[in-house]
Amino acid sequence: MDRLSNTVRPYAWGSTTAIPELLGVAPTGEPQAEMWMGTHPGAPSRVTRAERTGEGTAEQIALSDVIAAEPERELGTAAAKKFGPRLPFLLKILAAGAPLSLQVHPNLAQAKEGYAAEESAGVPIDAPHRNYKDANHKPELICALTPFEGLCGFRAPLEAADAIATLDVDSLKPYVDLLHAHPEEAALREVLTAVLTADPVEMRETVTAAAAAAERLGGAYAPYATLAHHFPGDPGVIAAMLLNYVQLQPGEALFLGAGVPHAYLSGLGVEIMANSDNVLRCGLTPKHVDVPELLRIVRFEAGDPGVLRPEASPEGEELYETPIDEFRLSRYVLAEGAAPRTLPSGTPQILLCTGGRIRAGELTLSPGESAFVPAGESAELSGTGTLFRATVAA
């Protein structure tokens, strides 16, 4: 088992205080948006292993290099064969101090097709208009550590129509009429297409008027006024009104599958995702929005966002069920005086403490601290607090 050293990413939307408070350190004054745990090439975790130097002295090594050197030892034979010589997931602490972009992720077939097409066309991997950075999909799950706000999936068109109509903005009335059309999927597609392809000057005026109305109405409209404050004139403000607004309480989670439009608005959470950088944006961003490609991969299905609550096992593991193999997120909540828990073995694991002090094997983890457990090792948990376990489907 290895204690992880992790990188904090200072994206502009990050909270300046949430991650420092979790870690028990002083804020730096700059946004601290995400702390990454895993083998993503952008910021792989690091471990200290004396045997890697060949001289018996310790040095820090990227976890990605450790795994690549002996993938079957670190990941287990099954995971190494299925996913290759790296962890197939990225675990994060995410701290949203301001809204993130409205976005959607492709499924695996779409990602492979899109990546191949852009490679064939010679689009540079770092080009701002490039959609597919790799050939993988990016399902993800966010679990709230504090009250957490987000947008997830389309709400019923008639519900969206009523909400937009209440703003009483003349330029929004054609969208209200479209949302009353049938079938519902076609109505949602038409409205999102109309919003994202509208004349920019006219849309800016519409968003300004809608924001003023949302400010006056308050209550359920307050989030849209906030979005307009951060993204003045952005069509994503209107697109956001088509989506379910979700408030998670600590311990609740959302699973974001392929084609589901979503945005995180505020709060601190544990996020896990398949290793990919494929994001198509729908708005709430100055970055490139490829409307035709976006419309190709969005799932125009209205429904409940499906808030997840963990299912407890007799062994004390509380699992967040998801339909994919690349990751499996669970947690252990250890009360004072509780009997030690033995972690399952056989798959690679990242352990993350988010509260209290947890003894995991030979390591003691405080909030924000994490460890990597190779597939062949088992560990016993003791102490008092909360620990998240990230692994792959067995």
Side-chain angles (χ1 to χ4, degrees):
M1 182 184 299
D2 301 279
R3 187 182 298 276
L4 296 179
S5 297
N6 305 305
T7 299
V8 175
R9 311 304 295 261
Y11 303 136
W13 49 262
S15 167
T16 58
T17 59
I19 289 179
E21 286 177 359
L22 179 70
L23 298 176
V25 300
T28 64
E30 72 174 355
Q32 297 190 27
E34 298 179 343
M35 186 172 79
W36 288 15
M37 290 155 279
T39 58
H40 190 287
S45 298
R46 298 170 302 285
V47 301
T48 301
R49 287 195 176 182
E51 70 268 23
R52 298 298 175 188
T53 68
E55 300 174 355
T57 57
E59 68 171 358
Q60 282 213 323
I61 309 166
L63 180 60
S64 52
D65 292 341
V66 170
I67 291 174
E70 296 182 272
E72 291 196 8
R73 172 187 171 184
E74 304 295 340
L75 303 178
T77 302
K81 182 177 181 180
K82 185 169 187 177
F83 301 115
R86 67 171 186 166
L87 282 174
F89 63 82
L90 176 64
L91 183 67
K92 301 178 181 180
I93 295 174
L94 182 146
L100 283 67
S101 64
L102 185 59
Q103 57 189 248
V104 68
H105 306 303
N107 62 33
L108 189 56
Q110 291 165 339
K112 289 179 177 179
E113 180 184 347
Y115 179 76
E118 290 185 324
E119 285 289 281
S120 178
V123 181
I125 198 71
D126 58 352
H129 63 284
R130 175 135 185 175
N131 294 315
Y132 298 94
K133 309 293 187 183
D134 52 68
N136 200 15
H137 62 167
K138 193 184 176 185
E140 59 191 43
L141 181 144
I142 183 78
C143 178
L145 296 178
T146 66
F148 195 96
E149 296 180 284
L151 303 168
C152 178
F154 290 105
R155 57 178 167 175
L158 292 183
E159 181 184 338
D162 289 344
I164 294 172
T166 302
L167 294 171
D168 196 26
V169 174
D170 285 345
S171 55
L172 290 176
K173 291 178 180 177
Y175 302 146
V176 174
D177 292 339
L178 285 173
L179 288 168
H180 282 90
H182 293 283
E184 289 188 345
E185 292 80 3
L188 290 168
R189 177 183 286 275
E190 279 198 61
V191 173
L192 185 62
T193 303
V195 168
L196 296 181
T197 58
D199 178 82
V201 174
E202 293 178 0
M203 179 52 66
R204 177 170 289 272
E205 294 173 352
T206 296
V207 172
T208 300
E215 187 77 35
R216 288 193 305 271
L217 290 166
Y221 289 88
Y224 308 113
T226 299
L227 290 178
H229 171 75
H230 287 284
F231 305 99
D234 193 303
V237 175
I238 307 303
M241 296 180 185
L242 302 175
L243 306 184
N244 294 295
Y245 170 71
V246 184
Q247 291 179 299
L248 299 178
Q249 296 305 309
E252 295 180 333
L254 286 174
F255 174 71
L256 293 311
V260 177
H262 61 277
Y264 302 146
L265 305 182
S266 68
L268 181 70
V270 173
E271 185 183 36
I272 189 167
M273 61 183 61
N275 257 331
S276 174
D277 292 320
N278 287 328
V279 175
L280 281 94
R281 294 172 176 85
C282 316
L284 307 180
T285 179
K287 295 182 179 180
H288 177 63
V289 177
D290 185 335
V291 176
E293 186 64 12
L294 175 71
L295 296 174
R296 189 177 77 87
I297 69 170
V298 169
R299 287 168 46 198
F300 289 95
E301 299 175 5
D304 186 274
V307 173
L308 297 177
R309 295 171 183 84
E311 297 290 333
S313 73
E315 293 75 28
E317 184 180 27
E318 300 179 347
L319 175 65
Y320 294 90
E321 289 280 3
T322 60
I324 51 106
D325 293 337
E326 284 88 344
F327 62 76
R328 182 181 186 275
L329 186 70
S330 59
R331 68 175 186 175
Y332 291 82
V333 181
L334 302 181
E336 186 174 358
R341 303 289 189 178
T342 300
L343 289 173
S345 61
T347 59
Q349 307 173 58
I350 290 180
L351 309 179
L352 168 65
C353 177
T354 59
R357 285 174 65 82
I358 302 291
R359 183 79 174 173
E362 297 300 314
L363 300 179
T364 298
L365 302 178
S366 296
E369 295 183 335
S370 57
F372 172 69
V373 185
E377 291 188 20
S378 61
E380 187 174 83
L381 302 181
S382 60
T384 304
T386 300
L387 179 130
F388 282 84
R389 174 179 181 254
T391 185
V392 298

